[in-house]
Amino acid sequence: MSALARWFKHNGKAVSGYDKTPTPLTRQLENEGIAVHFEDDPAQISDNLKSSKEDALVIYTPAIPKDHKEWAWLKAEGFTIMKRSQVLGLITESMISVAVAGTHGKTTTSSMIVHLMKTAGIDCTGFLGGIATNYGTNMVMNEETNSIAVIEADEFDRSFLTLRPDAAVVTSIDADHLDIYGDKDALKESFALFVSKIEKKGKLFAKQGVGSQILGDENRIHHSSYALESADITAENLRIEEAAFVFDYKTSKKTITGIRLNVPGFHNVENALAAISVTKYFGADDDSIREGVSTYKGVKRRFEYVIKSDSLVYIDDYAHHPVEIESLLKSVRALYPNKRITAVFQPHLFSRTRDFAPEFSESLSLADEVILLDIYPAREQPIEGVTSEMLLEKVRAERKTVCPKEALLEQIKAWQPEVLLTIGAGDIDKFVEPIKTELS
């Protein structure tokens, strides 16, 4: 949403909006001249908007609660209201576009594609779902009007079905958003529809095992699979050197040797394979690929180093699904095999916690110590019996506890972590700076 706000502001429009809570991002938007309020009250809507109904566009995310007062008022008043995804589709329909979809990995992959293209001198616009560290924003602006649009395509509420990309990436289709889809089959059907919208002469890059689930036997889309091994596109000679992942990019026709990824994680190597493939598809040369990958700094809250010293490593990550947590902890264990790993996790959504409780407990058991915060509700009301305690019971870590937010700093300090991770998609990011200050 904030990327779109920035796009319209950049193009000379008056922009204002609502968010649930103040964050560093909303403060940045306000500093950029975008008015933001935090109380759900139609009286807070800007007078400028109210007085120019015929010329106004209201954009919303389906993540807002259905009883949102401002949304109801704007509908009743007859404003033009569109989903975020619809507006993205309109903005990019006249551009060559790359859409990155998947239940995990799409923010890192899309931001990496943008950086590799910029490094290779390929003009592009990036509509991202997180803050790209290289650019300090989630809206990377183009230089020419005929640039390529790189879009993070969100499967939530089937939003990505408004796009018609020229090239696409599907990183994963693990069960998620079951409060929207009901079951995984419905989710797969939605991804199959997304893939069917790729332009006839386009290209799909899909994680190994994903394509077979969403492509029909007679699918017209030219596609390639990618994975660490046993795929059309692989990472050969993969090794860890000084906390970086070094590998060779390999296809049946092409090898690029000595690629160095300084944003750690086996999952990020796979994301890099997809990003390299897309950038090569649009004409990048090998040297620019090497430079782009080595200078890529990641995305805020995706394997983000907060403290990195001999005595303490502190990493913050947005992971909020069991598969993401498993990938994160396996990568951290590979990087720091002889260190004690302490994971602080804030579950996101009551429904997700209920649907994947055994999987959450299993993935968190990869840590040596686990601190659980209470569930972050987001758009949901509590579900009886669904709590963080139900996850803790089956976690097999050496030491584990459920901790109230107000006691978190003292709990972390008492355990004296060697490698600390804060994990989750709620408001756990508010603790990053206080934890950094306390531990520093």
Side-chain angles (χ1 to χ4, degrees), residues 121-307:
I122 301 170
D123 192 26
C124 66
T125 305
F127 293 90
L128 309 175
I131 305 300
T133 305
N134 289 84
Y135 305 96
T137 182
N138 52 3
M139 177 71 251
V140 181
M141 298 299 179
N142 52 307
E143 297 172 11
E144 305 291 339
T145 55
N146 60 345
S147 71
I148 296 169
V150 180
I151 308 158
E152 181 171 332
D154 192 2
E155 77 280 358
F156 176 76
D157 197 40
R158 300 173 173 83
S159 292
F160 57 0
L161 299 183
T162 59
L163 304 172
R164 297 197 62 86
D166 297 274
V169 175
V170 178
T171 61
S172 54
I173 51 170
D174 294 302
D176 199 5
H177 299 305
L178 299 186
D179 56 326
I180 300 294
Y181 286 99
D183 58 36
K184 187 175 180 181
D185 287 339
L187 178 71
K188 287 196 286 190
E189 181 183 344
S190 191
F191 272 93
L193 284 171
F194 165 72
V195 167
S196 72
K197 291 180 177 292
I198 299 172
E199 295 292 345
K200 288 183 179 180
K201 294 182 180 180
K203 173 82 177 192
L204 169 68
F205 299 96
K207 172 105 176 273
Q208 176 68 14
V210 168
S212 60
Q213 299 182 64
I214 57 177
L215 290 168
D217 294 336
E218 299 178 3
N219 197 283
R220 59 177 175 75
I221 300 298
H222 182 46
H223 61 279
S224 296
S225 63
Y226 66 90
L228 295 182
E229 54 187 14
S230 303
D232 299 326
I233 301 159
T234 59
E236 290 198 340
N237 302 317
L238 176 60
R239 66 256 187 213
I240 297 173
E241 295 180 359
E242 299 175 344
F245 283 66
V246 182
F247 62 95
D248 300 336
Y249 172 88
K250 182 76 182 331
T251 72
S252 61
K253 298 179 179 179
K254 184 73 182 177
T255 301
I256 307 176
T257 59
I259 295 173
R260 184 182 184 88
L261 178 65
N262 292 305
V263 178
F266 294 109
H267 55 298
N268 283 329
V269 175
E270 289 188 323
N271 294 336
L273 292 176
I276 292 167
S277 300
V278 170
T279 314
K280 290 294 293 180
Y281 179 71
F282 285 99
D285 63 85
D286 295 0
D287 287 340
S288 71
I289 292 290
R290 288 191 192 89
E291 181 186 352
V293 175
S294 68
T295 56
Y296 174 70
K297 297 179 181 178
V299 181
K300 293 288 288 181
R301 304 215 61 232
R302 270 69 168 186
F303 215 113
E304 181 182 4
Y305 280 103
V306 181
I307 299 173

Side-chain angles (χ1 to χ4, degrees), residues 21 301 346 348 373 376 405 424-432:
T21 54
R301 304 215 61 232
Q346 181 188 47
H348 184 263
L373 299 179
Y376 185 79
K405 287 181 181 179
D427 62 358
I428 191 171
D429 59 317
K430 290 184 175 181
F431 289 93
V432 173

Side-chain angles (χ1 to χ4, degrees), residues 321-323 325-326 352-365 391 394:
H321 186 281
V323 173
I325 295 170
E326 180 183 359
R352 184 182 282 123
T353 306
R354 175 200 62 200
D355 293 340
F356 302 109
E359 292 87 349
F360 275 122
S361 298
E362 185 68 23
S363 61
L364 288 165
S365 296
L391 302 183
K394 294 185 179 180

